[in-house]
Amino acid sequence: MHARMIHSLNGKQSPIPYGRKGQYILSVDRANLNKELLTAAETYPNTKMNFDHKLQDWNAETGLMTFARLDGSKEQVKADLIVGCDGAFSAVRKQFLRRSRFDYSQTYIPHGYMELTMLPINGEFAMKPNYLHIWPRNTFMMIALPNLDKTFTCTLFMPFEDFEKITTGDEVIEFFQKYFPDTIPLIGADTLQRDYFRLPAQAMVSVKCNPYHIGDACVLMGDAAHAVVPFYGQGMNAGFEDCIVFDEIMDQFNEDFSAVLPEYTRVRVPDDHAIADLAMYNYIEMRAHVNSKWFLFRKYVDNILYFFMPKTIIPLYTMVTFTRTRYHEAVKRWHWQNKVINRGLLLSAVGAVLGGSYLLIKNPPDINKLIVSAEKMWDRLVALRTL
């Protein structure tokens, strides 16, 4: 997807590129990605896959883990290093909560999400496929992501209280006619009414914690360490980057876990907290700021400055998405760039006003000519009104 495609209320579509020509983000099916990762893991002879094993408890001192199986039996496994990659509601992380000096916070945003499906039309994508389609409506929004089977997964993000107001199929159609009229013929009224009530709106949580490790026995990665809301599209990337950074630190410290794990915490915590905050910010940008002329103007200015000064001015989205710039460093640089650019625009505006004033003072207009022009304009208006 090379750009966001903004759908206005009147049906107009306006693309906002993500970066330079040739730069794009990917719409990836999570189920297929999981299959690819499992297939890759199976190629390692020292890897054993265990499915339908739910972690019930583990011990940081002994490395002993207790799993519950589907048949009700339990199995115990001992490990030298436990890597907790078990999601936002991590069972591994629960042991961290029992220890002192462990900072933890979780935040549920007041918005939920609901997924709808846009089927192909005559065997082809119902909309242009190489875009992330967005319908920004200030306090809520809908997006659509293309899939390989030529469907679009549409996701409606909205406050829970607004979801709860819609209780019948007719109210669904009425709501979409008011806010997303161009999507009704693409999704289909019957499909829309059916899918809207298939599942209730789901919650979104943001998780921050520190540290990510216990001694040399356990480490958290991915959503278990830093679940984020989905609006920057970096949740999965941040998890993969955890692995890259951990691998780099392993090389740096010759795989000495007593040194590797504390360093991993030191390096990753500020970055993961930064992307959590950016994801929160980007929701406001996607549902509201993209409607703002000032936002679009600033995007234009940023891109021009990036073109002429690519090492000095780099747009935030470019730093986060298309480079390995650390998230917290990208945020710092973004704040600095905003200050510099805003001050530059202010000075330019002040300079233009002062320059215009100076020219008016030095070459004052003929007042008599202005009066005559004003009188002629008034006479024309009176004549039009008489007609």
Side-chain angles (χ1 to χ4, degrees):
M1 301 180 293
H2 298 278
R4 299 167 173 170
M5 183 65 81
I6 308 302
H7 294 248
S8 63
L9 203 52
N10 63 11
K12 182 184 175 183
Q13 298 183 25
S14 309
I16 302 178
Y18 282 116
R20 289 177 165 175
K21 188 176 180 181
Q23 289 182 324
Y24 54 84
I25 63 171
L26 297 171
S27 175
V28 179
D29 181 270
R30 188 177 291 267
N32 286 334
L33 177 65
N34 284 339
K35 290 174 186 176
E36 293 290 336
L37 292 172
L38 288 169
T39 300
E42 284 173 338
T43 63
Y44 292 87
N46 59 346
T47 301
K48 182 184 177 184
M49 303 286 186
N50 294 283
F51 296 95
D52 298 320
H53 281 57
K54 184 176 182 180
L55 180 65
Q56 285 193 324
D57 200 10
W58 66 279
N59 187 295
E61 280 68 41
T62 64
L64 191 67
M65 296 176 285
T66 303
F67 294 93
R69 294 187 288 213
L70 283 180
D71 60 6
S73 63
K74 293 185 178 180
E75 182 178 347
Q76 289 192 320
V77 180
K78 193 172 183 181
D80 295 325
L81 176 67
I82 298 169
V83 184
C85 301
D86 51 340
F89 305 102
S90 169
V92 175
R93 195 181 60 227
K94 285 180 182 177
Q95 285 287 352
F96 283 66
L97 292 168
R98 298 176 185 175
R99 305 175 77 86
S100 64
R101 298 173 64 197
F102 177 68
D103 295 327
Y104 173 79
S105 68
Q106 68 174 39
T107 304
Y108 281 95
I109 64 172
H111 297 70
Y113 74 93
M114 177 181 289
E115 290 191 345
L116 308 164
T117 301
M118 185 182 290
L119 297 173
I121 296 177
N122 299 323
E124 295 299 327
F125 284 103
M127 302 183 295
K128 294 177 180 178
N130 295 111
Y131 296 91
L132 167 59
H133 293 265
I134 307 177
W135 291 259
R137 298 299 181 259
N138 296 320
T139 58
F140 56 90
M141 71 172 181
M142 188 166 73
I143 67 171
L145 292 160
N147 302 309
L148 291 176
D149 61 2
K150 298 190 177 179
T151 63
F152 279 92
T153 298
C154 304
T155 309
L156 176 60
F157 298 97
M158 192 162 66
F160 280 101
E161 59 191 37
D162 290 338
F163 277 115
E164 291 159 4
K165 289 175 185 174
I166 300 171
T167 57
T168 68
D170 288 342
E171 288 175 346
V172 173
I173 300 302
E174 186 181 331
F175 173 77
F176 271 75
Q177 282 175 339
K178 185 175 181 180
Y179 294 108
F180 312 111
D182 57 330
T183 67
I184 296 176
L186 300 178
I187 298 175
D190 292 339
T191 302
L192 197 53
Q193 289 174 310
R194 183 191 69 228
D195 288 357
Y196 190 91
F197 297 105
R198 185 176 52 189
L199 286 172
Q202 304 296 301
M204 289 174 282
V205 67
S206 180
V207 170
K208 291 181 180 179
C209 65
N210 183 26
Y212 289 168
H213 73 286
I214 295 177
D216 61 356
C218 181
V219 64
L220 299 174
M221 290 188 182
D223 283 0
H226 48 79
V228 299
V229 292
F231 305 114
Y232 222 106
Q234 285 290 310
M236 185 169 61
N237 284 351
F240 284 148
E241 194 171 49
D242 287 345
C243 302
I244 293 172
V245 170
F246 191 82
D247 187 57
E248 291 169 348
I249 295 172
M250 288 263 282
D251 289 340
Q252 183 182 345
F253 290 95
N254 297 316
E255 302 184 12
D256 176 4
F257 289 135
S258 63
V260 169
L261 270 56
E263 179 67 6
Y264 169 75
T265 285
R266 187 190 70 79
V267 170
R268 284 307 284 171
V269 165
D271 290 332
D272 294 331
H273 287 190
I275 195 58
D277 294 336
L278 278 176
M280 290 286 198
Y281 162 79
N282 213 47
Y283 183 37
I284 302 169
E285 178 173 303
M286 290 174 75
R287 63 180 164 84
H289 289 176
V290 291
N291 291 325
S292 159
K293 286 184 171 60
W294 171 252
F295 172 82
L296 296 174
F297 171 70
R298 273 302 312 273
K299 277 271 184 189
Y300 181 71
V301 170
D302 289 354
N303 288 333
I304 287 177
L305 293 174
Y306 180 42
F307 179 80
F308 287 106
M309 299 182 288
K311 292 184 179 179
T312 307
I313 301 294
I314 307 174
L316 174 65
Y317 197 91
T318 298
M319 284 189 281
V320 170
T321 307
F322 301 121
T323 76
R324 278 289 307 279
T325 304
R326 292 180 61 183
Y327 292 132
H328 85 280
E329 290 175 355
V331 172
K332 278 184 184 176
R333 183 165 182 161
W334 172 49
H335 289 314
W336 173 80
Q337 288 179 175
N338 272 346
K339 272 186 188 176
V340 171
I341 295 170
N342 287 339
R343 284 176 183 173
L345 290 172
L346 179 62
L347 288 172
S348 299
V350 170
V353 170
L354 292 175
S357 301
Y358 172 76
L359 290 173
L360 282 172
I361 293 167
K362 192 173 181 183
N363 302 294
D366 189 332
I367 299 298
N368 292 325
K369 286 182 180 179
L370 287 176
I371 291 171
V372 170
S373 298
E375 286 175 349
K376 286 181 179 178
M377 184 64 70
W378 176 253
D379 290 340
R380 287 177 185 174
L381 287 172
V382 170
L384 285 171
R385 189 175 176 184
T386 305
L387 289 171

